[in-house]
Amino acid sequence: PSESVFTTLSVGGMPFETDYPRGEILDIKRGIKLADSATPTDEKKADPAAAPATDEATSDDGVRRLKTYKISLEGSFGEDITQTPIRKAVIDAKNLGADVIVVYLNASFMTRDGLKALPNDAANFDEIFRAESIVPIFAEEIPRDWSAQPRVVFWVREAMAGAALLPFVCPEIYFHSEGRMGGLGNLGGLFEGTGDEVVREKQRSLRLGHAEGWAIRGGYDYRLIRAMARAEYVVSVRYVNGKPELFEGLPTNPGEELLTDDAKDENKDTDEDRASGRGNDVLTLDARRAKALGVAKEICDTDQELFVAMG
C-alpha cells in the first residue's frame, strides 16, 4: 500500500497539489462541494450593515473561503508594466468580488548589453515619475471605490529603479528568495552640472520627499528610501527586542549593523563589491535583509508558500 495520500487542495482560491504521510492522517470525512459564495438574502441587500465585509462562505469544517485575484506584473517598468492594464485588472477583481489581491512584481532591470544590472548600475531615481501614475491605483482608487476593502499584498521578485517604489505603498510585502529591491542610488547626481547647486538640491529633495511619503503611508521607515537613493547617506540598524531600529550614523557596538556608508574614498564600493552583493554605498534589499528590516513579512517561492505565509 502507498505510504502517503496525494490530494489537490485550494488556498485563497488557488489550487496546489501535495501529499501527506498515511501515519499523520487521523480521519477522512467526505463533504459536499460548496458554491463560490453565498447569495445574500433580501434583508442583507437592504441593510449593508447586516453583511459586513468580513463575511465569507464557510463549510462545515469552519474554514473560510476567500476569493483571491492575482495580478502578475512582468517586463519593463513603464512599458510593459503601466497603469492602464493594472487599473483594468483591479476593476476586474472588484467585479469578481475578490477578497484578496496579490500583486506579483517581476520588473526586468537590464544593462544596455542585455545583462542583469548590478545594484548601482543604471540606477534611475527619476523613474519615480513612472511609479507616480501607478501608485494612486493602490493608494487612492481602491480605498475610494471599494466598499469592502480588499487585502492587497505585494510579492517581490525583481523591483529595481522606479519599480522599487511601488510596493512601499502597501503595508504587506513578501519576497521571493531571489528577490531584490533598489536601483535608486543616483539621486545625488541628478542635475549635476545644470544650474545652481541650491536649485539642484531642491529638486532632489522634492523627489525624495515624495517617495518617502509613499513609504510612510505603507508603514515603513522613510530612512529606507533615503538609504536607497543617496550614496552619501550613512545609516545603520540595531535590533531592540528583536525589532529593527534604524539610526543615522556608524555602528558603535557589535550589536549594530552598518547598512550604508558615505561612499567616499576608501568607502566607495568596488565593482567586485557590487557584483557580489556586498556593496553598501546605497541600500539594495535582498530577501534576507528585507525580512530582517521588517519590509518583507516572509520569504516565499511558490503560490502555496505565499498563501501559507499569509495565513
Side-chain angles (χ1 to χ4, degrees), residues 31 40 57 71 83 98 102 104 106 109 121 133 180 241 282-283 309 311:
I71 303 173
Q83 67 271 24
V102 174
Y104 175 70
N106 187 20
F109 186 63
D121 292 344
S133 59
R180 62 176 187 161
N241 297 323
V282 293
L283 180 63

Side-chain angles (χ1 to χ4, degrees), residues 147-219:
S147 56
Q149 293 297 300
R151 178 181 178 184
V152 181
V153 169
F154 268 83
W155 185 16
V156 175
R157 176 66 180 263
E158 183 90 340
M160 302 290 283
L165 298 169
L166 191 54
F168 276 112
V169 299
C170 179
E172 192 170 0
I173 300 174
Y174 296 83
F175 258 61
H176 188 279
S177 62
E178 297 179 355
R180 62 176 187 161
M181 194 159 71
L184 298 167
N186 70 333
L187 180 61
L190 285 182
F191 313 110
E192 201 62 44
T194 303
D196 182 80
E197 175 58 23
V198 174
V199 176
R200 293 197 296 266
E201 186 56 32
K202 183 176 181 179
Q203 288 297 320
R204 296 168 190 145
S205 296
L206 286 171
R207 285 162 169 76
L208 183 61
H210 197 169
E212 289 175 350
W214 293 345
I216 293 171
R217 182 187 183 97

Side-chain angles (χ1 to χ4, degrees), residues 270-293:
T270 66
D271 289 342
E272 183 180 355
D273 290 332
R274 290 182 289 135
S276 64
R278 294 193 302 266
N280 61 3
D281 287 351
V282 293
L283 180 63
T284 298
L285 295 174
D286 58 13
R288 179 199 67 81
R289 179 160 282 177
K291 189 171 187 302
L293 295 178

